[in-house]
Each structure stands twice: as structure tokens, then as C-alpha cells.
Amino acid sequence: MRYGPILGAGALFSLACSWAALVMAPQLQLGALAPAPIPNSSDVHPALRPGLAAQGAEVYRSLGCYQCHTRQVRQKRLLFGARLNAVGSNANTVSLELPGSGKTNLVNLDLLIALAKARPDLGIAKVTVPPPLLADTNVVAALGQFTANLALLQHADDKAGIVRPTSGPTVNDVAGRRPAEILVKVGPEAAERAVKLLTDSGAKAELVIYNLGPDIERGWGARRSVARDFVNDTPVLLGSLRVGPDLASLGTRAPEKFAAPWKFAGTNTAAELEHRLLIHLYNPRLLAKDSTCPSATYLFDKQKPEVRYAGEPLVVSKELPPVFPKHNARALVAYLLTQRNDVSLPEAPTPAVAAAPAGSNAPAKP
Amino acid sequence: MTTAQPSSQTACAAAPSVAEVEASCRLPVLFLAFSGAAWLCAGAVLALLASIQLYQPTFMEGCPWVTYGRLRPAAVNALAYGFALQTSFALALWLIARLGRVELAAPLGLTIAAKFWNIAVTVGVFGILAGDATGFDLLEFPLYAALPIFASYACLAAWALVTLHQRTERELYVSLWFVVAALLWFPWILSTAQGLLLGWQVPGVVQAIVAGWFGNNLLQIVLTSFALAVLFYFVPKTVNRPLANPGLARAGFWLLLLLGGWGGLAQLAAVPAWIPAVSGAANVLVIVPVLALLVSLWQTADGKIAEAWKDNATFRFLLVAAILLLGVTLRTAVFGGHWTQFTFFATARTDIVLLGVFGLAALGALHHIVPRLTTGDDELPSSGLADVAFWAALLGVLFVGIGFSLAGFAQAGVNADAGKAFLKDGVVGIAGQLKLVTVGYGALALAALAFLANFGLAVRRCCAACCGGAR
């Protein structure tokens, strides 16, 4: 090769390819991402951080906490389920107790068929009607419909090669428990179909989601972190190494899910968590003997400072004199407390509020 | 830089002699080489101090300037900008001058630009320690250091390219392909990253993507290219044979440029799934060019490796660097996915490329270049110190690489299984492996010191010769 310019042009072309794919394309895809409204409230997620927490973000960056802590919860898969909440009623609902007995035993016959369709692994027990009820024309009509549906179901079962067990739990048992988990950890299509079958039969059913994976099991977050969680951050400190636990949802972490588990003593849990985090900053080894989290004693004053609004002294432990958290310590804790990912997003739902599954819900594949 | 001496080269009437070429290189290349090695020593010491805090958290406790979160990025950036990039400028200038058979344009200007580079790196490292780090891996220097870095680079690269343009040997040898590619690559990625992160501030996770893209390009293209430039120059020279398979080298070169820039984002979880997937695929595909390039080198040296290992200090460094290049590529391709995400295994790639692949190749090359430019010999004055430098650097890189990798595997096991206790298995449980890392950084600092001592001896001998002759 003799010509430098050709060489240079080729190199720049190669670079332009990777630049277009890995810098331009993500910017086009994610650049316009905006906070999402939180259902049933006027708030959005992620919310703008209040001033103190925004200052805390700077302390977090400045002290390099991101060198040891990630803020990215991972999740293996997103699976779905169907839950039966109420039997409901319709024309084919009959009461199996005699009128005047004071008891009611409503059976939604359509629901039994729907359940049987959703759960081919369960048998169907006979519905026995006390003879006096057979005089009721409504009951007779409903039973007739039920028998016809059963025959259709039997036919469909035979066609699909489904053999229902004759012993063990039946759909009748399942319909008797509420709430009942009809399907657990299945794909979105199966769960959606089951929910539709159940609601069509007049019952109240909902779609349940299951976020799975070690991070979720550890209690580090309700769902995986997604790009939208960070639209208000600058700089975005995702972290790439977990010497310490993930902090993406530290603000909502249950006490027993900390690396050094603890318990709330009273009812003012917010104040307790804040106190706990201040002590952690002052010296993590007071809370977990083996912790390698660096202590930030320089964020605390030994003597009561002269400034007004110095704040309450922090009682570190019984043996040690109290210390006075500086402004930066309070800011950092305020920032840590804003870390949360329990808000359901269309692209990353949380179990509490299940959105309808859509194609975009597939979690990041490993 | 004109001398009264007639040119001893007959190939081209205008071509300067080797002595003239080397004379023009002397000041800037020696300055860059010396400062680079000094930064290697400083960076290794900073990394050593940081690594102790990982298992001994009370070490240097109570001062924000030396807390792990600042010490570690200070160390990595000192090693990347102070040592690796600076040394690669020394190598680039020397390779352009030697292979292009041309005197360096503006040696004094280059030296001044190099001086500014050093000032900027120093300011940046202190900026990080003072708490001004930007928060992006390998781009932690605050703006007030990042801009001077870019400006001094622009001067260095511009003069390097002017020199290349004036070359009397028109044919561009493989080494120069890599040098040119890396010299053009670096300003683009640096300006893109600094512009988007510190200037325009793209929103949200795009920042992390840009930073990951920059870091990967710096390691996989820029520094690996400089290492390969050195390998392709010295291996044929040492075994005294022409390059065995130039076609293969050419294919490897272009494929490396095309594929190498796509990796590095497998470390991100909170981004659309296609991004880590593309990066993971690129990490695997890049094996092809790396293999092509190494096979071409291997065919050149085949049969003479043992002999060259014994006789030539430079060659030993280069052989290990080549093996490490293969090793780090395979390591990332095989284990670089989801499983080792967020562990020391993944983050240690930076150390292995900076100190192992590039670091060993560069130290090896300097063991030839520094004596050429001082005493005029092919080897540094003390072969004992050269041995110390080699073995300490080799063990240092191995200890750091193996220590971090084993710690990473243990962390990966904890990450994958919520039943394991985070604190006991994932934090306390990796202290032993991390102690190995501390020893490794110590050995690397020792290697840098041994080289610097040898450097000093060579300079003293050179001065004694000149001044002694004058007296």
C-alpha cells in the first residue's frame, strides 16, 4: 500500500460504521425518551430529583460510589400468570343450596368450563344438584347448557389428545378458592387466553406478571432497570462492577434484603432508613463487620458546627459520641433514598400493576 | 535538523541517513518514553493502593482524596493517558520516522506538545482525586484536563502525519497502517465522546453507551493497533525474515478495524437488548482478525522463536504480548457475556489490554528504541535490569489478570445465585484473589522502575560519551 489517504479513508469509514450503529442509532432510539406517567396519579417516573437529592447525585459521582455499585437491576425473564379474583355470576350461575337454608353456594357453571379449558391438567367433578332444585327451570336450563358444553369440551379434549385425571384436584376445587392462581409463570399468550376465558365466563380475573432472576430474588428491585429510569440523570452513573450490592432501588429496599439484614424497630420506617444510611456512610463496619464499603467520616463533624440548621446529631452507637452529618452527607442519603424502580413502566411492568403484555415487553436477553 | 554528513543511504537521494533520522527522534521520543514509563510506575502504585482498600477498607480511610472511588479511576486514567497513549506516541513517531525513512517534523514542537500532554494528565489525575471525575469509565478527566489533552494530541498527531506525508520510503509497511489508523481513530472517538458527554450532554443512558463505545475503541482499536504496529515491526526484524504472509496481515488489519469498534457494550443492562447483543457478537467475531494477524506473525517467526527468546530482550516482551492479545480476545469472546457482567472479570479487560497487550509490547519496543537513541546500541546497558523489567512486568500482568479473573468468577457465581450470601461469598470470599492483584501492581511498578533505571544508565553513558569526547 502506497497511498496514505486511501488508508485513512478506509479507517475512517470503518469507524463511521461503528459510530453510526452504536452512537447514532441509540441516540435516535432513546434520545426522545420521556418520563412515563404513573397510573392513577399525576406523577411521572422518573420524577425530577428534589434539590437536596440532586446535590447528593454530585456527591455520589465525586466520591466514586459508582466504582463499586451498579444501578442496573437485571432480570432473566418476564413471565405471566392468570389469577381468579371473584367467581362472578351470569345466567348460568346456580345456587346449590336449598332456598331458605340460609346458606348460599353459587356455582358459575361457565367458569368451570373456562377453567377446564385453561387447565387441561385438571379434572372436572360432577356437579350434583339437590333434587328439590331440579324443579327450578332456570337451574335445569343452566344444567342442560353445562352438559352440552361438557360434551363439546370432551370432544375438543379427545381431538387434542388430552386425558384429564380422574383423581386429584379438580377445577371445581380451584374455583372454590379465591384468589386462585390459575396459571403461574407461563408465556404471555397462554396467560392472556386464560384471563380472557375467565372474564368471558363472568368471573373477575387478572393478568399477573412474574419478574424472575437472582437480582429480583435478592430484593434489589421489583423489575429490571430500563433506559427510561435514567432520563433525568446527568451524568448517568450506571456502574459496571458490583463490589457492593446494586443500588438501583435502595430507597424501597426491605430491611431484610440489605447485605447486612436488619429490622425496623418502630413505625416511622422512612426516618429509620435514613438514620441507617447515615450510619452506613459514617462507618459501614458498625452495621456489617466485614463490609468493605469505604467509610465517609469526612462527611460528618465531630463537634456541633456553628452554622444554623446544623441538624440533629447522629447517634452512631452506644459507645461513640454523636456526630453531626454535614450537608453533603444528608444530600447523599437523600439521593440514595430517591433510588427506586418499583414503578411499573410499559416496557418493564412490576407485579403490583400488571399492564397488558405487548411485544415490547420482552426483557433484555442475556 | 540538517547535518553536514553526506547521506549514507543510496536507495533514495533525498533520504536521510539512519543516524539523521534517529537524531531527529531523540528529544521527543525519549521524552515521551521516559514520561510514559514514569506514569506506568505512578499509575501502578495508585492502582496498588486502591486494590488494598478492596479487602482492607480501613487502609487510608478518612481522607476523601484517596478513597477507592477516586483512587481507582485516577489509576486507570493515569495508566491509559499517562502511560499507554503517551508511550504509543513515542512508538508512533519512531515507527513513522524509521519506516518512512524521514526526519521528524518539528521535534521541538512535538516535545513541547508532549510536555503539555503531561501537564494535562497531571491536572486530570489530581482533578479526579479532588472529586471532579466525570463518572465515565476511561473518560474520567474533568473538562479542564480533557480539553488540553485534546489540544496537545492534535499537535502531536498533526506533526506525526506531516512527517508521514514527507516520508521518502513511499511504500507503507503494515506497522504504519496500524499507526495511521490509530492516529486518526483516537481524535474522532475522543472528540465524539467528550463532545456528547461533557459538551452537549446527550440524555440518559445514551451517555453510558457513548462512554462504553469510547472505552472499547480505545482498547480494542487504538491501543491494540499500536501494539500490533510494534509486533509487525520487531518480529520480522528480530528473526531477520520478511513478513511471511502480507495478504493475511492486510485482511486482518481491515477486519480488525471493521469489527473491533463494535464491542464493549455487553456491560450494559439498562439499555435496549439489541445493544449488548450486537456487542457480544462483535466480541466473538473479532477473534477472526486477531487470529489472522497473529498467524501471519507466527509464520514469520516460526522455527526461530526459541532462539530469538534467548537472544533478544525485546522479543520476549513481544511474544508474551502476542499471547496475551490472543488470550484476552478469547477470554472476552467466551466469558464476556451476561454471566461475568458486573464482575472484576469483565472490568479487568482494561487492565489486561492496557498493561499486558499494549504495556508489554511497548516496554519491549522501548528496550530497543531507547538504546538506539542514546548509546546507539541495540540493547540497554544493563541486561540484568532488562531481565528484571521483563519478569516483573510479566508476573505483574499475570497476577493482575488472573487475580481479577478468579475474583470475577467467584462474583459471577454469587450474582447468578440469590441463595449465596452476598457479603460472605461475594465480598469477603474474594479477598485472597484481590491480594494477588495487589502483588501484581507492585510487580508492574517494579518493572517500570527497572526500565527507568536502565534508561537512566543509557542516558548517562550517552552523555559521558558526548561530553567525554568533547573534553
Side-chain angles (χ1 to χ4, degrees):
Chain A
M1 206 179 313
R2 297 181 72 91
Y3 298 104
I6 296 181
L7 183 69
L12 291 184
F13 169 76
S14 321
L15 179 52
C17 290
S18 97
W19 180 81
L22 295 183
V23 176
M24 270 320 285
Q27 166 64 16
L28 292 179
Q29 183 183 0
L30 302 172
L33 213 57
I38 300 177
N40 309 326
S41 86
S42 57
D43 296 338
V44 292
H45 174 83
L48 275 179
R49 294 210 166 84
L52 189 63
Q55 291 164 20
E58 285 295 292
V59 183
Y60 188 85
R61 171 194 59 73
S62 158
L63 291 177
C65 309
Y66 64 92
Q67 290 285 331
C68 285
H69 289 286
T70 55
R71 285 168 63 226
Q72 318 183 59
V73 176
R74 301 183 296 183
Q75 114 184 19
K76 273 220 186 77
R77 275 175 306 164
L78 174 60
L79 289 184
F80 296 86
R83 178 183 296 150
L84 175 66
N85 285 326
V87 169
S89 66
N90 60 9
N92 289 335
T93 305
V94 294
S95 173
L96 297 186
E97 294 292 335
L98 291 179
S101 69
K103 289 185 258 176
T104 45
N105 182 8
L106 288 178
V107 173
N108 181 343
L109 296 175
D110 285 354
L111 174 61
L112 295 184
I113 299 288
L115 279 174
K117 282 185 186 159
R119 291 285 301 270
D121 58 320
L122 293 181
I124 308 182
K126 270 221 174 63
V127 179
T128 42
V129 181
L133 281 183
L134 288 174
D136 188 330
T137 48
N138 283 343
V139 173
V140 174
L143 277 181
Q145 181 73 46
F146 181 55
T147 323
N149 284 342
L150 263 186
L152 282 177
L153 181 70
Q154 184 65 48
H155 188 67
D157 277 359
D158 289 347
K159 244 181 148 178
I162 296 171
V163 185
R164 291 181 188 268
T166 48
S167 60
T170 60
V171 294
N172 313 55
D173 303 335
V174 173
R177 266 185 269 124
R178 277 174 310 278
E181 307 297 341
I182 306 304
L183 288 179
V184 174
K185 298 181 187 170
V186 295
E189 295 84 15
E192 262 202 329
R193 177 173 161 268
V195 171
K196 185 164 185 320
L197 280 169
L198 300 181
T199 42
D200 284 355
S201 75
K204 285 210 167 58
E206 67 177 347
L207 194 72
V208 192
I209 67 157
Y210 296 92
N211 289 331
L212 300 173
D215 287 9
I216 312 271
E217 265 177 72
R218 258 182 219 284
W220 283 354
R223 57 162 169 80
R224 71 196 168 99
S225 303
V226 290
R228 200 190 297 274
D229 290 324
F230 302 94
V231 288
N232 290 335
D233 288 21
T234 226
V236 175
L237 303 171
L238 294 181
S240 57
L241 175 62
R242 282 181 180 167
V243 177
D246 191 276
L247 298 183
S249 78
L250 187 77
T252 56
R253 180 159 307 170
E256 67 273 14
K257 294 297 187 185
F258 278 68
W262 54 290
K263 279 199 189 70
F264 287 130
T267 47
N268 192 352
T269 52
E272 275 185 53
L273 184 57
E274 187 179 351
H275 182 245
R276 176 94 187 175
L277 290 180
L278 279 172
I279 297 186
H280 178 95
L281 284 189
Y282 180 72
N283 186 354
R285 275 154 299 285
L286 293 171
L287 304 176
K289 184 171 63 61
D290 295 326
S291 173
T292 55
C293 196
S295 60
T297 38
Y298 38 81
L299 295 180
F300 297 83
D301 280 320
K302 284 255 176 339
Q303 259 96 49
K304 186 172 172 61
E306 293 297 307
V307 272
R308 279 167 74 209
Y309 312 119
E312 293 293 305
L314 175 75
V315 179
V316 180
S317 75
K318 284 193 201 81
E319 299 87 56
L320 299 170
V323 293
F324 295 85
K326 292 185 191 166
H327 178 77
N328 275 352
R330 297 222 177 263
L332 182 52
V333 168
Y335 169 73
L336 292 175
L337 289 174
T338 60
Q339 303 294 320
R340 56 188 299 176
N341 77 350
D342 55 342
V343 179
S344 193
L345 293 176
E347 66 271 33
T350 59
V353 198
S360 64
N361 275 351
K365 299 220 172 45
Chain B
M1 282 294 132
T2 46
T3 49
Q5 264 180 313
S7 169
S8 61
Q9 298 293 324
T10 47
C12 175
S17 71
V18 172
E20 285 167 330
V21 169
E22 288 184 346
S24 77
C25 284
R26 186 161 295 142
L27 187 61
V29 171
L30 284 182
F31 177 77
L32 284 164
F34 186 86
S35 332
W39 275 113
L40 172 61
C41 186
V45 169
L46 289 176
L48 178 143
L49 297 176
S51 72
I52 295 178
Q53 296 187 11
L54 286 172
Y55 48 87
Q56 192 62 252
T58 48
F59 178 70
M60 295 171 70
E61 182 182 44
C63 174
W65 283 65
V66 289
T67 187
Y68 180 86
R70 294 188 184 174
L71 215 45
R72 175 74 195 170
V76 172
N77 284 274
L79 289 173
Y81 293 85
F83 164 60
L85 281 164
Q86 169 146 253
T87 312
S88 49
F89 302 148
L91 302 175
L93 293 177
W94 194 76
L95 287 173
I96 290 175
R98 277 305 300 259
L99 287 169
R101 207 178 292 157
V102 52
E103 290 172 66
L104 280 188
L108 203 61
L110 281 165
T111 314
I112 294 171
K115 188 74 208 162
F116 269 105
W117 175 275
N118 275 288
I119 295 172
V121 172
T122 315
V123 169
V125 168
F126 277 100
I128 294 176
L129 293 178
D132 286 346
T134 60
F136 301 109
D137 280 352
L138 285 171
L139 276 170
E140 263 110 350
F141 284 161
L143 200 60
Y144 53 75
L147 289 180
I149 286 252
F150 190 79
S152 15
Y153 176 79
C155 299
L156 282 164
W159 275 314
L161 292 179
V162 166
T163 309
L164 184 80
H165 184 69
Q166 293 168 347
R167 69 190 185 274
T168 57
E169 173 63 57
R170 293 315 295 174
E171 186 67 25
L172 287 168
Y173 176 65
V174 188
S175 289
L176 287 184
W177 308 349
F178 282 109
V179 168
V180 171
L183 283 178
L184 291 176
W185 209 274
F186 182 65
W188 185 341
I189 60 171
L190 188 70
S191 58
T192 301
Q194 288 181 346
L196 293 181
L197 297 177
L198 309 181
W200 183 29
Q201 296 203 331
V202 286
V205 290
V206 181
Q207 294 181 359
I209 296 172
V210 171
W213 175 81
F214 169 83
N216 175 67
N217 272 289
L218 180 65
L219 297 176
Q220 186 82 52
I221 302 279
V222 178
L223 292 181
T224 303
S225 284
F226 282 123
L228 283 164
V230 167
L231 284 168
F232 274 95
Y233 179 77
F234 281 102
V235 169
K237 184 179 165 78
T238 310
V239 298
N240 208 3
R241 284 184 194 157
L243 186 64
N245 200 336
L248 199 59
R250 180 184 313 232
F253 169 76
W254 287 115
L255 277 178
L256 181 69
L257 291 197
L258 275 171
L259 297 172
W262 293 69
L265 301 180
Q267 278 310 298
L268 294 172
V271 294
W274 66 267
I275 293 176
V278 164
S279 264
N283 281 343
V284 176
L285 287 178
V286 86
I287 295 178
V288 175
V290 167
L291 271 185
L293 292 164
L294 291 179
V295 163
S296 158
L297 286 170
W298 181 70
Q299 287 175 342
T300 311
D302 191 22
K304 285 197 166 184
I305 294 178
E307 188 188 330
W309 170 278
K310 241 185 270 146
D311 298 346
N312 191 305
T314 299
F315 188 83
R316 287 187 286 175
F317 281 99
L318 298 188
L319 185 65
V320 179
I323 295 172
L324 281 172
L325 174 59
L326 182 65
V328 77
T329 310
L330 291 177
R331 171 187 186 277
T332 313
V334 177
F335 297 111
H338 184 81
W339 196 60
T340 56
Q341 198 178 40
F342 302 152
T343 69
F344 277 122
F345 185 92
T347 50
R349 171 177 172 237
T350 311
D351 291 89
I352 301 178
V353 175
L354 271 184
L355 302 169
V357 179
F358 176 81
L360 288 182
L363 276 181
L366 292 183
H367 273 82
H368 174 85
I369 297 174
V370 170
R372 290 293 320 150
L373 296 185
T374 48
T375 54
D377 298 329
D378 277 344
E379 289 193 10
L380 279 169
S382 162
S383 70
L385 281 173
D387 283 346
V388 171
F390 172 69
W391 288 109
L394 172 64
L395 287 181
V397 171
L398 286 183
F399 282 0
V400 170
I402 293 176
F404 271 145
S405 300
L406 292 181
F409 278 139
Q411 288 178 314
V414 175
N415 268 346
D417 177 6
K420 291 211 171 142
F422 184 86
L423 199 50
K424 181 174 153 288
D425 300 324
V427 179
V428 182
I430 57 172
Q433 292 90 314
L434 293 173
K435 283 176 188 158
L436 199 61
V437 172
T438 306
V439 177
Y441 284 125
L444 278 160
L446 179 69
L449 282 179
F451 169 69
L452 285 172
N454 226 341
F455 197 134
L457 285 181
V459 171
R460 213 182 69 182
R461 191 171 293 179
C462 167
C463 290
C466 301
C467 305
R471 232 177 266 135

